[in-house]
């Protein structure tokens, strides 16, 4: 009887990529969950291991392979009792199939979460701007699914990407958030000027550079991949899919 009270579904969070992004995911998971008491919030286990090798470098074979580290974290979460997983790192999803095959519980996909978020915000078609790591863009992690659903995808050219995406992502990893804000705003504005009806912050460092309070004046829908993933996790927990 005593043991039964501790049973139930837990959400596993494979974090540390980067550590502030996964910490922010946990905060947003709590902030977005409708609850009248603390007991109504989602039981979750965060595995935050910043030692995971860099995903862009690993995918390009320029550095150590991060996959064994990520699978180790997933196995630890599964043994701890997680019944579904989320990974608040977009580039990590390039290994999604390998990770999903390695464990016995579902991994909620961040791209599907963003698609759901775009629809939730009324963006069902039209040009969508994508701001992400160079690796995520080159391997078309988002473009494939969005284009299959009828969206047109816009990305910054190489020089603007370096200035408005890559540099701010690096600044956030150094906790230099104030310096990252201006370039990300400029990147959103460039994509908006190119006709984007929405802009996806498709690297989980970018929402940290462009906090919620700074988005109202942009006059374009912003889909935040951290919030989108948190909302999908809430849907899973409350039995609405995911």
């Amino acid at each position: 009887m005593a043991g039964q009270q501790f049973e139930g579904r837990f959400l596993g969070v494979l974090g540390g990529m980067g550590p502030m992004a996964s910490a922010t995911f946990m905060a947003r998971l709590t902030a977005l969950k409708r609850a009248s008491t603390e007991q109504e919030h989602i039981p979750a286990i965060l595995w935050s291991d910043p030692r995971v090798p860099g995903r862009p470098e690993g995918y390009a074979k320029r550095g150590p392979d991060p996959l064994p580290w990520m699978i180790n974290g997933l196995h630890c979460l599964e043994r701890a009792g997680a019944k579904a997983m989320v990974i608040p790192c977009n580039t990590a999803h390039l290994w999604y199939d390998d990770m999903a095959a390695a464990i016995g519980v579902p991994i909620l996909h961040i791209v599907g979460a963003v698609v759901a978020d775009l629809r939730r915000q009324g963006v069902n078609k039209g040009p969508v701007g994508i701001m992400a790591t160079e690796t995520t863009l080159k391997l078309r992690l988002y473009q494939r699914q969005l284009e299959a659903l009828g969206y047109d995808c816009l990305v910054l050219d190489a020089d603007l990407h370096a200035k408005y995406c890559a540099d701010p992502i690096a600044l956030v990893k150094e906790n230099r958030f104030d310096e990252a804000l201006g370039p990300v705003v400029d990147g959103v504005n460039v994509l908006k000027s190119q006709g984007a009806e929405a802009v996806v912050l498709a690297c989980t460092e970018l929402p940290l550079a462009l906090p919620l309070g700074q988005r109202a004046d942009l006059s374009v829908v912003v889909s935040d991949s951290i919030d989108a993933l948190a909302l999908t996790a809430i849907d899973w927990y409350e039995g609405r899919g995911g």
Side-chain angles (χ1 to χ4, degrees):
M1 183 69 172
Q4 290 180 356
Q5 66 182 321
F6 303 116
E7 294 177 0
R9 291 186 300 157
F10 282 81
L11 177 71
V13 183
L14 183 65
M17 303 174 284
M20 188 62 76
S22 51
T24 300
F25 172 85
M26 297 297 289
R28 295 302 293 157
L29 182 70
T30 304
L32 292 167
K33 174 73 170 70
R34 293 184 179 180
S36 56
T37 67
E38 62 187 43
Q39 288 77 22
E40 294 177 0
H41 283 280
I42 297 176
I45 306 165
L46 171 61
W47 179 270
S48 182
D49 190 350
R51 298 171 300 168
V52 176
R55 278 64 62 200
E57 298 82 3
Y59 203 89
K61 312 297 185 187
R62 296 195 307 267
D65 185 0
L67 181 60
W69 290 80
M70 295 189 291
I71 289 178
N72 175 66
L74 291 168
H75 282 159
C76 291
L77 289 166
E78 189 174 23
R79 288 195 296 269
K83 301 303 182 186
M85 308 288 188
V86 294
I87 308 171
C89 171
N90 284 273
T91 309
H93 285 72
L94 294 169
W95 289 269
Y96 179 88
D97 290 342
D98 291 328
M99 291 188 289
I103 59 172
V105 300
I107 301 173
L108 310 182
H109 202 296
I110 201 166
V111 178
V114 166
V115 170
D117 185 58
L118 287 170
R119 290 173 168 169
R120 187 183 295 114
Q121 297 193 66
V123 181
N124 297 303
K125 60 180 182 178
V128 173
I130 306 171
M131 298 179 69
T133 66
E134 182 182 8
T135 301
T136 296
L137 293 174
K138 280 188 174 180
L139 294 170
R140 296 176 54 81
L141 181 67
Y142 274 83
Q143 294 97 308
R144 286 195 305 272
Q145 186 160 338
L146 287 171
E147 289 170 0
L149 294 170
Y151 293 92
D152 297 318
C153 295
L154 303 174
V155 299
L156 299 167
D157 67 31
D159 290 340
L160 293 181
H161 176 271
K163 186 175 180 180
Y164 298 146
C165 287
D167 289 351
I169 288 169
L171 288 168
V172 168
K173 288 182 182 293
E174 297 173 12
N175 289 341
R176 295 162 63 185
F177 304 105
D178 291 344
E179 296 172 62
L181 172 61
V184 175
V185 169
D186 290 342
V188 171
N189 284 329
V190 168
L191 290 166
K192 183 175 70 172
S193 73
Q194 294 175 353
E197 296 182 15
V199 174
V200 177
L201 303 180
C203 170
T204 49
E205 267 70 48
L206 292 173
L208 309 183
L210 183 59
L212 289 167
Q214 302 287 343
R215 299 176 193 174
D217 296 334
L218 293 174
S219 301
V220 68
V221 171
V222 174
S223 182
D224 171 337
S225 56
I226 290 179
D227 276 15
L229 190 59
L231 289 167
T232 290
I234 292 168
D235 284 346
W236 164 79
Y237 186 74
E238 296 181 345
R240 294 191 296 270

